[in-house]
Amino acid sequence: MTEVIGVRFKPGGKLYYFNPNGVHVAVGQSVIIETSKGVEFAQCTQSNTMVDEMELVSTLRPMLRIATEADFKTVEQNRKKEKSAYDICQKKIAEHGLDMKLVEVQYSFDGSKVLFFFTSDGRVDFRALVKDLAAIFRTRIELRQIGVRDEAKMMGGLGICGRSYCCSQFLSDFQPVSIKMAKTQNISLNPTKISGACGRLMCCLKYEQDTYEALLKTTPKLESLVKTPDGVGTVNAVQFLTERVKVTLDNDPETPRTYRTSEIEVIRSGKGRRPAGYELPEEGAPARPADSGRRTAQPEHPARAPQPRKPRSGEAAAPQRPAAQSAGEKAPRQQTQPKKKRTQPVKKAAPAPEGQPTPQEGQAAAKRHRPRHHHSRSGAGTPPKQEQGEE
C-alpha cells in the first residue's frame, strides 16, 4: 500500500496523484509540486489516502512542501504578468495577420515558461510570432491550440440552467455526446436549446442517458397496441421518468387516459397490423367480442351439388360423379386414357386401260386448257374468247 494525495492545478482540471512524503495535507490546502515540466503550484482536493501499488499507472512524483506566504506572492505576480502578456500577444497576432483567437496565457510557477492557448479553424504558421514573443519575454514560449470545449472550460460562465458551466466546475474529462441522446430523451432538436456556449451539444445530455436506456426496455413504444383495465387502446404519449403512458381507447377515442406501465399489457409493440381478435369494428356494425384464436371463414349458403342430367330416349345413361366431401370442395377428375388414332389402309388406284389417261394426267390437262379472264382498268370484265376446236 502507498500513501497518495490528489491535487488539481486549476479549478475543474484533471486530478493528479503525488507522494506527500509523510506530510498530512488537508483538502483545500495549497502545495508546491514537482512535475515533469518543473515546479508548479497546486491545490489539494483529496487528502492522504492509501492505495494499492498495482493501481498506480506511473511512478509518483514527490510533493515539495505546503505553500507559504512567499509562494502566494509569487502566484500573484505571475497573474499580473499574464495580463500584460495577453495584451502584447494580441498586438503581435494582429501585426502578423494570423487567423487565430487568443484564449488564455499561463506563467509557470518559477517563471521559466509562458503558455499561450488559442483556437483556430485550421493550422496556423506561428513561427514568426514565437520569435517575436521570445525576444520580448526572454523566456521559453509555447503556443498550444485547443478546441472550443476547452475554451469554454477556461473562460467559464453561466449556462441556460443558471449555474456555472459543468466543464469549468467539476468535469475533468469530456465525454462524447451525440444527437441520439436528445432523441432518446424526447428533447426538442432545436440547436439553440440543446447546444452549450461552446456550440457543441450540452454535456448534461450524458448524465441521464443510462436511466433513459433502462426505462426504454420496460416502457411501451409509441403507437403500440396495449390492453388496459378499461379496454384496448393505442399509446400516443410516453413519460419515461414518471413511468406513465397516455392511451387512446378504441371504445372512447375522444378522451385519452393515463395509466402506469405496470397496469397495461402490451399486445403489439410499435406500429403494425393488428393481430386477430383486436380489429377495429366497422362503422355502423356492432363490435364483436375478441376471440383468442383464428377461425376459418364459412360460406353463408352451402354450395348446391350439381344435379345429374336425365338421359334422352335412345341414349345411354352417363355415369354419375361422386359427390364432394364438403361444400366448396371439388370432386377429383377422372383420369382418361388418350384416344388412339385409327389408321386406314390407303386404297391404290386401279391401273387405267391402255390408250386412256390416268386421273392425275386428266386433271393436269384440264388446268392447262382452263380459260383465262382479262380485266380492264375500268373494272368491266370482257368475255373470254372461245377457242375453236379442230374439225
Side-chain angles (χ1 to χ4, degrees), residues 166-167 170-171 185 203-211:
C166 298
C167 55
F170 59 86
L171 286 181
Q185 301 174 25
C203 300
C204 55
L205 293 176
K206 180 70 175 178
Y207 300 161
E208 299 178 356
Q209 181 63 19
D210 296 338
T211 303

Side-chain angles (χ1 to χ4, degrees), residues 46-64:
Q46 182 178 343
S47 183
N48 299 55
T49 308
M50 302 299 294
V51 297
D52 192 0
E53 295 180 358
M54 300 298 294
E55 298 179 2
L56 299 177
V57 179
S58 60
T59 306
L60 292 176
R61 290 186 174 272
M63 180 193 73
L64 299 180

Side-chain angles (χ1 to χ4, degrees), residues 237-308:
V238 180
Q239 302 174 5
F240 289 101
L241 298 180
T242 58
E243 298 185 7
R244 294 176 179 271
V245 294
K246 186 179 289 186
V247 181
T248 302
L249 299 176
D250 294 349
N251 51 18
D252 190 9
E254 299 297 332
T255 56
R257 302 183 186 181
T258 306
Y259 301 92
R260 287 186 172 274
T261 55
S262 58
E263 299 175 351
I264 62 177
E265 178 185 354
V266 179
I267 301 173
R268 183 204 65 209
S269 180
K271 295 182 180 180
R273 190 175 181 180
R274 292 199 170 204
Y278 295 97
E279 294 87 355
L280 287 172
E282 298 180 359
E283 296 182 0
R288 295 184 300 172
D291 297 334
S292 59
R294 181 180 294 180
R295 298 181 180 178
T296 56
Q298 297 292 342
E300 297 181 359
H301 302 286
R304 296 179 180 179
Q307 298 294 333

